[in-house]
Amino acid sequence: MSRPVRGRGAAHDERRGAILEAVFAIIDTEGTHQVSIRRVAEQAGVSVGRVQHYFPSKDDLLTAAFTAINDLGTARVQARLSDSTQPAEALLTELIPVTSEDRRLFRVAQAFETHALTNPSLSEQLRQGYDELIGLLTVLVGPAAKELLAMALGLANLTLTGNLTPEEARAIVRSGIEKHGAHPRS
């Protein structure tokens, strides 16, 4: 009789994902400084040993969660780009949180960005991510890429604080694109 093959399968990915979701929940409500293996285990409803099986240390846990939130953001932008005839507008308006889930993910991403600034390896990963985003925007809109990105990120913050509605912020993004004559390149 053969032994079942062990390895990374759907159940592994599901358990790992549930643990990372617990990290996001803690960060969203309490910040990165409140993440611990014990707190994550409690939030995920699993044992400390289960969390340590996937993430041996708090640093491993935070690094994996940082990567996961960035990957999620990238996937959302890519999906939006693939469905759009106005890629620059799609990319920049995707940065503006509209739904409660958008706002939650944006808050978690912001908390991770702040955390990354004091962690050299995460800081480098953050810088590279922004470099890639700026590179893509430069292809789409030319030299106005950095200014438009900064504007969209600032507008996203203003939607979180309630100073702007998502609709107002997205209208400002569209106006900024038009103002800069930043149309897709042929």
Side-chain angles (χ1 to χ4, degrees):
M1 185 161 109
S2 65
R3 294 176 69 181
V5 177
R6 296 188 65 171
R8 296 179 67 151
H12 170 91
D13 292 342
E14 187 177 306
R15 286 188 296 268
R16 190 176 190 278
I19 291 168
L20 292 174
E21 182 56 41
V23 174
F24 297 159
I26 293 167
I27 289 172
D28 184 38
T29 58
E30 302 173 48
T32 57
H33 61 284
Q34 291 298 322
V35 173
S36 70
I37 289 179
R38 180 169 306 286
R39 291 286 317 279
V40 170
E42 290 169 5
Q43 180 73 31
V46 299
S47 69
V48 168
R50 172 70 68 179
V51 174
Q52 289 175 321
H53 170 76
Y54 292 98
F55 310 101
S57 71
K58 177 181 174 178
D59 191 51
D60 294 330
L61 184 61
L62 286 171
T63 298
F66 177 79
T67 300
I69 196 76
N70 287 331
D71 290 349
L72 180 59
T74 298
R76 288 171 58 121
V77 166
Q78 287 173 341
R80 185 90 188 274
L81 286 175
S82 69
D83 293 340
S84 178
T85 58
Q86 300 291 325
E89 181 179 323
L91 190 155
L92 291 167
T93 58
E94 182 60 30
L95 299 174
I96 308 294
V98 176
T99 66
S100 60
E101 179 63 6
D102 291 344
R103 287 187 292 279
R104 182 181 85 91
L105 292 173
F106 194 82
R107 286 189 306 266
V108 171
Q110 278 188 316
F112 268 119
E113 286 190 12
T114 301
H115 173 72
L117 295 175
T118 61
N119 179 311
S121 66
L122 294 182
S123 183
E124 178 59 21
Q125 189 177 342
L126 179 63
R127 189 193 61 75
Q128 287 177 352
Y130 274 123
D131 282 347
E132 290 170 11
L133 186 55
I134 291 166
L136 175 58
L137 271 171
T138 300
V139 168
L140 297 173
V141 301
K146 288 181 181 177
E147 184 176 340
L148 290 170
L149 177 59
M151 177 183 66
L153 291 172
L155 292 167
N157 283 316
L158 290 173
T159 65
L160 287 181
T161 59
N163 296 94
L164 291 174
T165 66
E167 296 76 23
E168 290 170 325
R170 287 178 169 204
I172 293 168
V173 166
R174 286 189 289 278
S175 175
I177 292 170
E178 291 171 11
K179 173 185 163 200
H180 288 288
H183 302 287
R185 294 181 174 195
S186 315

